[in-house]
Amino acid sequence: MNFEEVTEWTWLNQANFLFDECHFIDYRMQKEEAQRLIQNASVLFMCGGDPVQQSDLMAEYELADVIKNSKAVILGASAGSLNMSAKWVTSQEVGHHVEIDSVYEGLGFDPFAYESHSKRDYASFVQGYLFPLSEQMDVYAAEQESAIRVKGGIIETLGPVYLISRSKIQKRVETLMP
């Protein structure tokens, strides 16, 4: 695996986050090795890509509990962020390559649903598929180049992030500085 080709890796390098060892967990690695690496990691970065494939890998390799019980700092981008949340949605309406819209269970680090790369075309985007989920739990929708950090149960945001709760949309006040 050439880490220089992984977008998220370049972000870490640009921010001067350097690591002695780095491993990319995918189907080229055996399940036991993936579990061992996660158990021994100090940082886990759940990268972007296809969130369904990432979820399937975690299920097939039995990684959910290993990740949840890890003592590592856990970061996620795009698909990784979706899979860190309690629930997330795939929808043809926003370009996901799926046959039917589905709600997926994430790792549930925090009790909310998440949508990354959101757009403010609420007529089709939010009302179409996030409003029903917002009746069950809060949904945070982050636009491109935005971030959410949850620390000690407190949610902080960087960039345009929206809270959708009971079919109402509220833009969050930015609390993190770049």
Side-chain angles (χ1 to χ4, degrees):
M1 171 54 135
N2 181 1
F3 283 98
E4 300 303 320
E5 295 174 3
V6 178
T7 301
E8 294 88 346
W9 179 253
T10 60
W11 297 341
L12 295 173
N13 279 340
Q14 289 169 355
N16 252 354
F17 288 109
L18 306 174
F19 302 96
D20 293 333
E21 286 184 45
C22 298
H23 305 278
F24 192 84
I25 296 172
D26 63 11
Y27 286 109
R28 293 174 283 192
M29 180 179 289
Q30 295 295 312
K31 174 172 101 172
E32 295 76 16
E33 177 72 358
Q35 291 175 347
R36 185 187 67 73
L37 288 170
I38 291 169
Q39 288 169 341
N40 295 324
S42 59
V43 175
L44 296 175
F45 192 4
M46 297 179 64
C47 292
D50 184 322
V52 175
Q53 286 180 352
Q54 190 178 78
S55 178
D56 290 347
L57 173 73
M58 287 190 299
E60 187 175 325
Y61 275 36
E62 300 174 3
L63 299 178
D65 285 338
V66 179
I67 293 169
K68 285 193 252 185
N69 293 323
S70 171
K71 302 233 184 298
V73 172
I74 302 174
L75 310 167
S78 192
S81 299
L82 294 177
N83 278 306
M84 290 171 64
S85 69
K87 292 185 180 187
W88 52 276
V89 178
T90 60
S91 176
Q92 293 176 333
E93 289 183 43
V94 292
H96 294 144
H97 301 289
V98 294
E99 291 182 27
I100 60 169
D101 295 356
S102 301
V103 175
Y104 283 81
E105 297 287 328
L107 293 169
F109 285 120
D110 296 289
F112 58 80
Y114 184 72
E115 174 61 39
S116 61
H117 311 296
S118 66
K119 298 170 182 66
R120 287 178 282 173
D121 175 11
Y122 292 121
S124 62
F125 175 72
V126 180
Q127 293 174 0
Y129 74 101
L130 290 179
F131 273 16
L133 184 55
S134 81
E135 295 298 326
Q136 299 174 29
M137 64 176 43
D138 288 346
V139 178
Y140 286 87
E143 288 187 20
Q144 192 75 14
E145 306 301 325
S146 296
I148 292 177
R149 177 174 72 179
V150 181
K151 187 174 181 182
I154 300 192
I155 298 171
E156 298 176 294
T157 62
L158 174 69
V161 175
Y162 300 86
L163 168 61
I164 305 159
S165 183
R166 294 190 168 35
S167 300
K168 290 185 175 55
I169 303 168
Q170 172 188 355
K171 186 172 182 180
R172 295 279 306 205
V173 173
E174 196 168 356
T175 55
L176 292 171
M177 297 301 140

